[in-house]
PDB file of all heavy atoms in Angstrom:
ATOM      1  N   ILE A 135     170.580  98.613 -14.294  1.00 85.00           N
ATOM      2  CA  ILE A 135     169.433  97.784 -14.645  1.00 85.00           C
ATOM      3  C   ILE A 135     169.613  96.429 -14.003  1.00 85.00           C
ATOM      4  O   ILE A 135     170.468  95.637 -14.416  1.00 85.00           O
ATOM      5  CB  ILE A 135     169.305  97.691 -16.191  1.00 85.00           C
ATOM      6  CG1 ILE A 135     169.133  99.083 -16.805  1.00 85.00           C
ATOM      7  CG2 ILE A 135     168.092  96.791 -16.550  1.00 85.00           C
ATOM      8  CD1 ILE A 135     169.117  99.098 -18.333  1.00 85.00           C
ATOM      9  N   LYS A 136     168.797  96.124 -13.026  1.00 81.00           N
ATOM     10  CA  LYS A 136     169.006  94.936 -12.210  1.00 81.00           C
ATOM     11  C   LYS A 136     168.694  93.630 -12.957  1.00 81.00           C
ATOM     12  O   LYS A 136     169.165  92.562 -12.561  1.00 81.00           O
ATOM     13  CB  LYS A 136     168.114  95.004 -10.951  1.00 81.00           C
ATOM     14  CG  LYS A 136     168.343  96.251 -10.071  1.00 81.00           C
ATOM     15  CD  LYS A 136     169.806  96.372  -9.658  1.00 81.00           C
ATOM     16  CE  LYS A 136     170.010  97.619  -8.766  1.00 81.00           C
ATOM     17  NZ  LYS A 136     171.475  97.804  -8.447  1.00 81.00           N
ATOM     18  N   THR A 137     167.920  93.709 -14.030  1.00 82.00           N
ATOM     19  CA  THR A 137     167.554  92.485 -14.755  1.00 82.00           C
ATOM     20  C   THR A 137     168.689  91.974 -15.608  1.00 82.00           C
ATOM     21  O   THR A 137     168.655  90.815 -16.063  1.00 82.00           O
ATOM     22  CB  THR A 137     166.308  92.722 -15.628  1.00 82.00           C
ATOM     23  OG1 THR A 137     166.549  93.847 -16.465  1.00 82.00           O
ATOM     24  CG2 THR A 137     165.085  92.989 -14.767  1.00 82.00           C
ATOM     25  N   ILE A 138     169.712  92.781 -15.847  1.00 87.00           N
ATOM     26  CA  ILE A 138     170.885  92.326 -16.617  1.00 87.00           C
ATOM     27  C   ILE A 138     171.806  91.579 -15.705  1.00 87.00           C
ATOM     28  O   ILE A 138     172.182  92.053 -14.645  1.00 87.00           O
ATOM     29  CB  ILE A 138     171.580  93.555 -17.267  1.00 87.00           C
ATOM     30  CG1 ILE A 138     170.669  94.280 -18.236  1.00 87.00           C
ATOM     31  CG2 ILE A 138     172.839  93.101 -17.995  1.00 87.00           C
ATOM     32  CD1 ILE A 138     171.205  95.552 -18.806  1.00 87.00           C
ATOM     33  N   LYS A 139     172.206  90.377 -16.127  1.00 89.00           N
ATOM     34  CA  LYS A 139     172.985  89.496 -15.265  1.00 89.00           C
ATOM     35  C   LYS A 139     174.272  89.027 -15.946  1.00 89.00           C
ATOM     36  O   LYS A 139     174.479  89.245 -17.136  1.00 89.00           O
ATOM     37  CB  LYS A 139     172.147  88.251 -14.902  1.00 89.00           C
ATOM     38  CG  LYS A 139     170.798  88.548 -14.257  1.00 89.00           C
ATOM     39  CD  LYS A 139     170.944  89.152 -12.853  1.00 89.00           C
ATOM     40  CE  LYS A 139     169.535  89.356 -12.241  1.00 89.00           C
ATOM     41  NZ  LYS A 139     169.651  90.022 -10.930  1.00 89.00           N
ATOM     42  N   GLY A 140     175.128  88.388 -15.150  1.00 91.00           N
ATOM     43  CA  GLY A 140     176.307  87.683 -15.687  1.00 91.00           C
ATOM     44  C   GLY A 140     177.363  88.566 -16.273  1.00 91.00           C
ATOM     45  O   GLY A 140     177.583  89.702 -15.866  1.00 91.00           O
ATOM     46  N   LEU A 141     178.031  88.037 -17.333  1.00 91.00           N
ATOM     47  CA  LEU A 141     179.133  88.755 -17.976  1.00 91.00           C
ATOM     48  C   LEU A 141     178.679  90.036 -18.617  1.00 91.00           C
ATOM     49  O   LEU A 141     179.413  91.022 -18.681  1.00 91.00           O
ATOM     50  CB  LEU A 141     179.809  87.865 -19.018  1.00 91.00           C
ATOM     51  CG  LEU A 141     180.600  86.653 -18.452  1.00 91.00           C
ATOM     52  CD1 LEU A 141     181.133  85.779 -19.602  1.00 91.00           C
ATOM     53  CD2 LEU A 141     181.740  87.160 -17.585  1.00 91.00           C
ATOM     54  N   LYS A 142     177.452  90.034 -19.127  1.00 91.00           N
ATOM     55  CA  LYS A 142     176.902  91.251 -19.749  1.00 91.00           C
ATOM     56  C   LYS A 142     176.823  92.366 -18.722  1.00 91.00           C
ATOM     57  O   LYS A 142     177.183  93.544 -19.012  1.00 91.00           O
ATOM     58  CB  LYS A 142     175.520  90.959 -20.330  1.00 91.00           C
ATOM     59  CG  LYS A 142     174.972  92.060 -21.208  1.00 91.00           C
ATOM     60  CD  LYS A 142     173.663  91.608 -21.850  1.00 91.00           C
ATOM     61  CE  LYS A 142     173.121  92.654 -22.801  1.00 91.00           C
ATOM     62  NZ  LYS A 142     171.826  92.269 -23.415  1.00 91.00           N
ATOM     63  N   ARG A 143     176.388  92.052 -17.532  1.00 92.00           N
ATOM     64  CA  ARG A 143     176.287  93.048 -16.469  1.00 92.00           C
ATOM     65  C   ARG A 143     177.675  93.556 -16.073  1.00 92.00           C
ATOM     66  O   ARG A 143     177.914  94.749 -15.872  1.00 92.00           O
ATOM     67  CB  ARG A 143     175.579  92.465 -15.249  1.00 92.00           C
ATOM     68  CG  ARG A 143     175.467  93.458 -14.089  1.00 92.00           C
ATOM     69  CD  ARG A 143     174.504  92.997 -13.032  1.00 92.00           C
ATOM     70  NE  ARG A 143     174.490  93.905 -11.895  1.00 92.00           N
ATOM     71  CZ  ARG A 143     173.912  95.104 -11.911  1.00 92.00           C
ATOM     72  NH1 ARG A 143     173.289  95.519 -13.004  1.00 92.00           N
ATOM     73  NH2 ARG A 143     173.910  95.880 -10.840  1.00 92.00           N
ATOM     74  N   LEU A 144     178.640  92.646 -15.987  1.00 94.00           N
ATOM     75  CA  LEU A 144     180.024  93.036 -15.650  1.00 94.00           C
ATOM     76  C   LEU A 144     180.576  93.974 -16.696  1.00 94.00           C
ATOM     77  O   LEU A 144     181.233  94.948 -16.362  1.00 94.00           O
ATOM     78  CB  LEU A 144     180.912  91.784 -15.524  1.00 94.00           C
ATOM     79  CG  LEU A 144     182.375  92.005 -15.203  1.00 94.00           C
ATOM     80  CD1 LEU A 144     182.536  92.684 -13.834  1.00 94.00           C
ATOM     81  CD2 LEU A 144     183.169  90.695 -15.258  1.00 94.00           C
ATOM     82  N   ASP A 145     180.305  93.669 -17.974  1.00 94.00           N
ATOM     83  CA  ASP A 145     180.746  94.546 -19.057  1.00 94.00           C
ATOM     84  C   ASP A 145     180.175  95.954 -18.884  1.00 94.00           C
ATOM     85  O   ASP A 145     180.882  96.945 -19.030  1.00 94.00           O
ATOM     86  CB  ASP A 145     180.298  93.923 -20.401  1.00 94.00           C
ATOM     87  CG  ASP A 145     180.778  94.700 -21.601  1.00 94.00           C
ATOM     88  OD1 ASP A 145     180.193  95.767 -21.913  1.00 94.00           O
ATOM     89  OD2 ASP A 145     181.730  94.267 -22.225  1.00 94.00           O
ATOM     90  N   TYR A 146     178.861  96.024 -18.582  1.00 93.00           N
ATOM     91  CA  TYR A 146     178.231  97.331 -18.422  1.00 93.00           C
ATOM     92  C   TYR A 146     178.791  98.074 -17.209  1.00 93.00           C
ATOM     93  O   TYR A 146     178.955  99.319 -17.247  1.00 93.00           O
ATOM     94  CB  TYR A 146     176.728  97.158 -18.279  1.00 93.00           C
ATOM     95  CG  TYR A 146     176.007  96.852 -19.564  1.00 93.00           C
ATOM     96  CD1 TYR A 146     174.891  96.022 -19.579  1.00 93.00           C
ATOM     97  CD2 TYR A 146     176.444  97.349 -20.778  1.00 93.00           C
ATOM     98  CE1 TYR A 146     174.211  95.747 -20.780  1.00 93.00           C
ATOM     99  CE2 TYR A 146     175.790  97.093 -21.969  1.00 93.00           C
ATOM    100  CZ  TYR A 146     174.683  96.273 -21.957  1.00 93.00           C
ATOM    101  OH  TYR A 146     174.033  95.986 -23.139  1.00 93.00           O
ATOM    102  N   ILE A 147     179.051  97.378 -16.134  1.00 94.00           N
ATOM    103  CA  ILE A 147     179.572  98.033 -14.922  1.00 94.00           C
ATOM    104  C   ILE A 147     180.916  98.647 -15.218  1.00 94.00           C
ATOM    105  O   ILE A 147     181.169  99.831 -14.890  1.00 94.00           O
ATOM    106  CB  ILE A 147     179.672  97.012 -13.786  1.00 94.00           C
ATOM    107  CG1 ILE A 147     178.286  96.631 -13.244  1.00 94.00           C
ATOM    108  CG2 ILE A 147     180.524  97.613 -12.599  1.00 94.00           C
ATOM    109  CD1 ILE A 147     178.285  95.502 -12.254  1.00 94.00           C
ATOM    110  N   ILE A 148     181.828  97.911 -15.839  1.00 96.00           N
ATOM    111  CA  ILE A 148     183.174  98.431 -16.165  1.00 96.00           C
ATOM    112  C   ILE A 148     183.051  99.579 -17.168  1.00 96.00           C
ATOM    113  O   ILE A 148     183.662 100.638 -17.017  1.00 96.00           O
ATOM    114  CB  ILE A 148     184.056  97.335 -16.714  1.00 96.00           C
ATOM    115  CG1 ILE A 148     184.276  96.224 -15.662  1.00 96.00           C
ATOM    116  CG2 ILE A 148     185.411  97.899 -17.159  1.00 96.00           C
ATOM    117  CD1 ILE A 148     184.989  94.986 -16.191  1.00 96.00           C
ATOM    118  N   SER A 149     182.198  99.386 -18.163  1.00 96.00           N
ATOM    119  CA  SER A 149     182.037 100.408 -19.225  1.00 96.00           C
ATOM    120  C   SER A 149     181.536 101.724 -18.657  1.00 96.00           C
ATOM    121  O   SER A 149     182.040 102.811 -18.959  1.00 96.00           O
ATOM    122  CB  SER A 149     181.099  99.877 -20.296  1.00 96.00           C
ATOM    123  OG  SER A 149     180.995 100.783 -21.343  1.00 96.00           O
ATOM    124  N   ASP A 150     180.516 101.642 -17.769  1.00 95.00           N
ATOM    125  CA  ASP A 150     179.960 102.842 -17.160  1.00 95.00           C
ATOM    126  C   ASP A 150     180.974 103.582 -16.313  1.00 95.00           C
ATOM    127  O   ASP A 150     180.884 104.811 -16.113  1.00 95.00           O
ATOM    128  CB  ASP A 150     178.703 102.524 -16.356  1.00 95.00           C
ATOM    129  CG  ASP A 150     177.468 102.364 -17.221  1.00 95.00           C
ATOM    130  OD1 ASP A 150     177.528 102.689 -18.413  1.00 95.00           O
ATOM    131  OD2 ASP A 150     176.434 101.869 -16.701  1.00 95.00           O
ATOM    132  N   LYS A 151     181.958 102.855 -15.812  1.00 96.00           N
ATOM    133  CA  LYS A 151     182.949 103.459 -14.935  1.00 96.00           C
ATOM    134  C   LYS A 151     184.088 104.150 -15.718  1.00 96.00           C
ATOM    135  O   LYS A 151     184.684 105.096 -15.228  1.00 96.00           O
ATOM    136  CB  LYS A 151     183.589 102.401 -14.026  1.00 96.00           C
ATOM    137  CG  LYS A 151     182.701 101.946 -12.878  1.00 96.00           C
ATOM    138  CD  LYS A 151     183.421 100.940 -11.976  1.00 96.00           C
ATOM    139  CE  LYS A 151     182.528 100.494 -10.838  1.00 96.00           C
ATOM    140  NZ  LYS A 151     182.184 101.599  -9.911  1.00 96.00           N
TER     141      LYS A 151
END
Side-chain angles (χ1 to χ4, degrees):
I135 302 174
K136 303 303 181 186
T137 54
I138 298 174
K139 305 291 183 184
L141 290 176
K142 190 175 183 181
R143 178 166 176 76
L144 179 63
D145 184 282
Y146 284 147
I147 289 171
I148 297 171
S149 185
D150 280 349
K151 286 183 180 296

